[in-house]
Amino acid sequence: MLITLTADGRELADGAVAGHLALETRLLAELSDHDQRQLAGLLRQLLIGLGDHAPGDP
C-alpha cells in the first residue's frame, strides 16, 4: 500500500518544517558553537538511552 500527501498536504508539511527550523535556529542562536555541539551530544545520549539508535547503527 502506498500513501502519498496531496499537494495541499505537502505544502502544509513544508510550512511546518520551515517554521520548526526557523524556531530552532532562533533558539540555538543564543548558544555558542561549543555549547550547541555539547547540547547535540547530550540530546543524542538521551535519545539513545530512550531506545533510539545512533546514526549508522542498525
Side-chain angles (χ1 to χ4, degrees):
M1 177 184 295
L2 175 65
I3 299 173
T4 61
L5 292 175
T6 63
D8 288 343
R10 281 191 302 276
E11 186 177 331
L12 182 63
D14 288 346
V17 169
H20 174 76
L21 291 176
L23 175 60
E24 184 177 297
T25 298
R26 283 199 324 265
L27 291 171
L28 293 176
E30 300 301 317
L31 299 176
S32 69
D33 289 343
H34 174 265
D35 288 344
Q36 288 183 32
R37 286 191 301 274
Q38 187 176 21
L39 176 60
L42 291 169
L43 291 172
R44 189 175 303 107
Q45 285 179 336
L46 178 62
L47 288 173
I48 291 170
L50 293 172
D52 201 356
H53 299 283
D57 286 352

